[in-house]
Amino acid sequence: IIAMMLPISLLLSVVGLSATDCGIQEISLAGFVISLGLIVDNGIVVGENVSKNEAYRGMNSMEAAIDGASSVMSRFGTRQGIAGLPDPPSFLTYLTPIRDGAYVRLLRHLILYPWQLFLGVLVLLVFTGLLAARLEVIVFPDSEDPFFTVTIEAPADRSRDFVDNLAMDVRQIVAEEKSVTHCGTVVGGGFPFVHTGIQNSGTGRNNATLFCTVNFRNSDEISALTDRINSKLSSRVADANILATPMVLGGEPGFSDVQIHISGPRIELVREQARAFGEYFAERELRGILHIDNPASSRWYAVDVSFKERVANAVGVTRSQVDQMLVLLTFGAEVDTYRDNDGNDFPIMLRANSDVSDPFSVFDRVFIPSTTGEQIPLSQVIEYKFVEDEYDIRHDMFQPEVKIGITAQPYYPVPKLTQEVAAVIEEYELPEGYSFDIRGEVANTEKACSGAGRNLGLVSLVVLAIFVLQFKSLLEPAIILVAIPLSFIGAFIMLFLTGQPISFLAFIGLTSLMGIVINNSILLVDEGNQLRAMKEDESLVDIAITAGVNRFMPIVLTSVTSIFGLLPLALGNSMFKGLAVVIIGGLTTSTFLTLLCVPVLYSLLTRSTPAVSVTEGWSGRSELGEVGD
């Protein structure tokens, strides 16, 4: 009966999703797996209560079902097998001696000596904090989608032909990998954001982006593949900044791990400040830097062509004729159209091919007809020289800016490098009206998590208020919320042991974990309150131990079900591995600690009733029989 709830709940989830803009995807399915434990727990609570009513209260099936559905407190157990099916040994058969023996004895000892429990929990929390401080913090883990990108950012003075040829060479190197199936190239821009993880080099005549697909789905293998490609491309570092990267979920277009944006009202001073800061930054010789791209550190030149008007008038050549010839030399001119068999038209472009060794000789090789019919070399009516050029000017909030990109060495922590860069920036003074802005991986992390702490605090206050109204007490909600830090212990320890970073998905797992452990804590406190209402003369010690015994099975079964449900995600290489690891680790420790801490705190903080000293021994009869003394 309990198992039947799972497909029914999945069906209802799909119906609910159909009423929204969300579809069935990996995150929604992961959410269903997370709720699996809660769904099973609710089924266990009702199912075991119905079984108890039939077996020990003598109710018929209808009465037992009605009464069992109206309560959420009981234990699980069935006396009858299913007709025609074998009756294998129950998992509960092995848990019962543990519950009635070791658990009761340990709980009774900790109620007598609670300082031992609190000291042990405190040590675990401190140990967990030390481990958590060593974990890497990222926004999203590497995607297992079968794609990766190669971004090319050439110096700003390179021609379009240079970038075209460089992109072609890079594509040939990438194609040497057998696992690469397709590779598309965009020069001068980037791919549409059909996938949030696409890393574009940005818009500019000197940029190019390759979007490639592979024939497998494994984030570790894709990372190894991009490392190999980067190793092969390292010899082209003098030509351009070239970097192969996997899909970065939730990322923004960018090229560098740390980006320093210098902005101000005047582009000339922005460039000058960027150049001066680049020299100052290089003198600091920070560790962990693989490459620095500062567009203001070099001066870019272009060919300036001017019209010799007096000479042109003397030989009978007009300015428009010269302009047309310069356009032909620079961009080409459409002289005709070719139509293929499918009816598609293609322009036929006429362009001049310059000599690589002497590119300006082209001015002597092209001629312009004069008004007298003579052919005048273009070099007679123009003059050219090199001048400093305006390279691509970027703007942010209507102000020009220069972006200095810093790429970290492999395996060097980007958060640490970002802090070191920020320390250097703090020491450098810019003129009034000019400012620094640090962006990159850490900035994206802070942006993605901005407001999370504030919203979490607000939600916690709302939940606490609901608990206070429900239990009409301030202490009992505090006892319930104790389960939250207990869940952190196993979560962060498991992240450390498996080498997983603290990511957005791990945070989702932690939030879901808190819901599960709070539910378990509520069951224990509510069970204690019901026992106090039915047995007013019984001591708080007896009530706390009985509540722990009565809720032992449902809590353990809920945790075991959730753990086994998430094991496939934790053992694989899915992007949801961090989420699964957090929940599995948190449930492993919080299940045990909640069954100990909540009854101990309940016996200490709840309003007293006539009690029997714990040192006199404890004996209690559960609804299913003798528990022990």
Side-chain angles (χ1 to χ4, degrees):
I1 295 175
I2 295 171
M4 290 172 58
M5 296 175 57
L6 301 182
I8 294 175
S9 60
L10 178 60
L11 175 62
L12 294 176
S13 299
V14 173
V15 172
L17 283 174
S18 66
T20 69
D21 294 333
C22 302
I24 299 177
Q25 25 79 12
E26 290 177 319
I27 293 183
S28 60
L29 291 177
F32 175 75
V33 173
I34 292 171
S35 65
L36 178 66
L38 295 175
I39 296 170
V40 171
D41 182 64
N42 294 332
I44 291 173
V45 166
V46 177
E48 65 179 351
N49 199 42
V50 174
S51 175
K52 178 191 69 177
N53 288 339
E54 285 188 309
Y56 303 107
R57 294 185 179 180
M59 296 182 181
N60 59 39
S61 298
M62 180 180 295
E63 293 173 343
I66 294 174
D67 183 80
S70 64
S71 174
V72 292
M73 299 289 112
S74 58
R75 288 176 310 280
F76 176 80
T78 178
R79 296 299 183 96
Q80 298 177 354
I82 302 176
L85 295 179
D87 191 11
S90 173
F91 173 66
L92 305 179
T93 303
Y94 302 102
L95 282 181
T96 301
I98 298 176
R99 178 195 67 183
D100 298 343
Y103 172 66
V104 170
R105 289 193 298 271
L106 179 59
L107 187 56
R108 182 173 58 188
H109 174 80
L110 293 177
I111 291 177
L112 183 61
Y113 303 104
W115 62 270
Q116 296 180 357
L117 176 63
F118 301 149
L119 180 61
V121 171
L122 180 61
V123 171
L124 286 174
L125 288 174
V126 172
F127 178 70
T128 302
L130 295 176
L131 291 184
R134 300 177 60 183
L135 293 174
E136 182 184 359
V137 180
I138 63 175
V139 180
F140 284 98
D142 290 337
S143 169
E144 58 185 0
D145 291 333
F147 315 116
F148 69 92
T149 56
V150 181
T151 51
I152 301 173
E153 191 170 288
D157 61 342
R158 301 301 186 189
S159 66
R160 174 64 179 267
D161 289 338
F162 174 85
V163 179
D164 285 341
N165 294 330
L166 179 60
M168 187 178 301
D169 293 343
V170 171
R171 183 170 178 172
Q172 290 177 353
I173 294 175
V174 172
E176 294 175 357
E177 297 289 339
K178 296 180 179 179
S179 58
V180 176
T181 57
H182 298 89
C183 210
T185 307
V186 171
V187 178
F191 284 89
F193 285 101
V194 295
H195 189 293
T196 58
I198 292 180
Q199 297 295 293
N200 284 319
S201 58
T203 302
R205 61 177 180 238
N206 59 319
N207 297 335
T209 302
L210 281 71
F211 182 79
C212 305
T213 62
V214 295
N215 56 8
F216 59 86
R217 282 180 173 269
N218 186 297
S219 59
D220 293 337
E221 293 184 19
I222 292 177
S223 296
L225 172 63
T226 54
D227 288 342
R228 290 197 304 271
I229 293 175
N230 286 328
S231 178
K232 294 179 181 179
L233 295 173
S234 60
S235 60
R236 308 299 298 266
V237 66
D239 297 328
N241 297 330
I242 310 173
L243 184 65
T245 56
M247 295 291 102
V248 181
L249 294 179
E252 294 183 352
F255 186 79
S256 305
D257 297 315
V258 184
Q259 295 178 358
I260 304 174
H261 292 237
I262 303 178
S263 60
R266 296 184 59 185
I267 184 60
E268 297 85 0
L269 288 181
V270 171
R271 290 173 177 166
E272 184 60 34
Q273 290 299 323
R275 184 180 298 112
F277 175 77
E279 297 174 355
Y280 174 81
F281 187 81
E283 294 175 355
R284 301 302 300 270
E285 297 182 351
L286 296 182
R287 297 176 54 195
I289 296 179
L290 178 65
H291 177 76
I292 300 177
D293 176 36
N294 186 354
S297 61
S298 301
R299 303 178 67 183
W300 314 115
Y301 291 90
V303 178
D304 177 65
V305 180
S306 58
F307 178 60
K308 295 170 27 175
E309 187 172 3
R310 295 183 62 181
V311 175
N313 291 338
V315 298
V317 175
T318 64
R319 176 183 290 272
S320 62
Q321 289 177 295
V322 173
D323 289 342
Q324 291 176 4
M325 183 59 67
L326 291 175
V327 170
L328 174 66
L329 295 176
T330 307
F331 302 104
E334 183 176 348
V335 295
D336 206 341
T337 301
Y338 168 75
R339 175 171 295 180
D340 62 12
N341 296 331
D342 297 329
N344 299 317
D345 292 337
F346 298 93
I348 298 177
M349 305 296 295
L350 175 64
R351 297 182 61 185
N353 186 22
S354 60
D355 186 0
V356 176
S357 60
D358 186 12
F360 299 111
S361 63
V362 69
F363 295 140
D364 297 321
R365 294 188 289 110
V366 295
F367 299 86
I368 300 176
S370 67
T371 55
T372 61
E374 298 183 23
Q375 299 292 323
I376 307 298
L378 180 61
S379 58
Q380 289 190 11
V381 293
I382 64 168
E383 59 182 357
Y384 56 89
K385 61 182 177 179
F386 285 102
V387 295
E388 189 170 358
D389 187 26
E390 293 283 345
Y391 56 83
D392 294 339
I393 302 175
R394 304 176 187 272
H395 289 77
D396 186 19
M397 298 300 293
F398 304 104
Q399 284 197 334
E401 68 170 10
V402 173
K403 179 185 70 175
I404 302 176
I406 302 175
T407 304
Q409 292 181 353
Y411 309 111
Y412 193 87
V414 176
K416 180 180 179 181
L417 178 60
T418 304
Q419 293 177 355
E420 295 170 349
V421 171
V424 176
I425 289 177
E426 286 291 332
E427 301 172 357
Y428 191 87
E429 294 185 4
L430 286 174
E432 185 177 357
Y434 296 81
S435 62
F436 286 110
D437 184 20
I438 300 180
R439 303 178 189 178
E441 180 179 315
V442 174
N444 289 342
T445 302
E446 295 176 351
K447 180 179 178 180
C449 299
S450 62
R454 180 182 66 254
N455 296 335
L456 184 61
L458 179 61
V459 172
S460 300
L461 289 176
V462 173
V463 172
L464 181 61
I466 294 174
F467 284 164
V468 171
L469 294 175
Q470 177 68 28
F471 291 96
K472 297 179 176 59
S473 168
L474 290 175
L475 290 177
E476 290 183 359
I479 296 173
I480 292 172
L481 296 179
V482 164
I484 294 179
L486 298 180
S487 65
F488 293 169
I489 296 174
F492 287 108
I493 290 178
M494 190 64 73
L495 282 176
F496 181 81
L497 293 178
T498 57
Q500 292 293 312
I502 300 175
S503 63
F504 181 73
L505 293 176
F507 180 77
I508 293 178
L510 196 62
T511 305
S512 305
L513 174 64
M514 288 189 288
I516 297 175
V517 299
I518 286 178
N519 183 68
N520 294 338
S521 188
I522 291 174
L523 296 180
L524 287 168
V525 173
D526 198 32
E527 174 76 2
N529 290 342
Q530 290 200 18
L531 290 173
R532 287 173 60 202
M534 293 187 296
K535 305 175 182 180
E536 297 181 357
D537 296 332
E538 193 165 351
S539 70
L540 281 176
V541 172
D542 292 347
I543 288 175
I545 296 177
T546 305
V549 170
N550 288 355
R551 298 310 306 159
F552 184 89
M553 294 298 187
I555 289 177
V556 171
L557 288 175
T558 299
S559 301
V560 170
T561 303
S562 299
I563 289 173
F564 276 94
L566 289 168
L567 271 180
L569 288 178
L571 296 177
N573 292 316
S574 169
M575 56 179 281
F576 294 100
K577 183 173 183 176
L579 180 149
V581 164
V582 164
I583 298 179
I584 290 175
L587 286 179
T588 302
T589 57
S590 66
T591 299
F592 176 71
L593 293 175
T594 300
L595 285 169
L596 295 177
C597 291
V598 173
V600 170
L601 290 174
Y602 189 86
S603 66
L604 293 176
L605 302 179
T606 307
R607 180 173 55 85
S608 299
T609 57
V612 178
S613 174
V614 71
T615 57
E616 299 177 6
W618 178 85
S619 62
R621 176 181 295 272
S622 73
E623 300 284 351
L624 295 179
E626 293 290 343
V627 174
D629 56 28

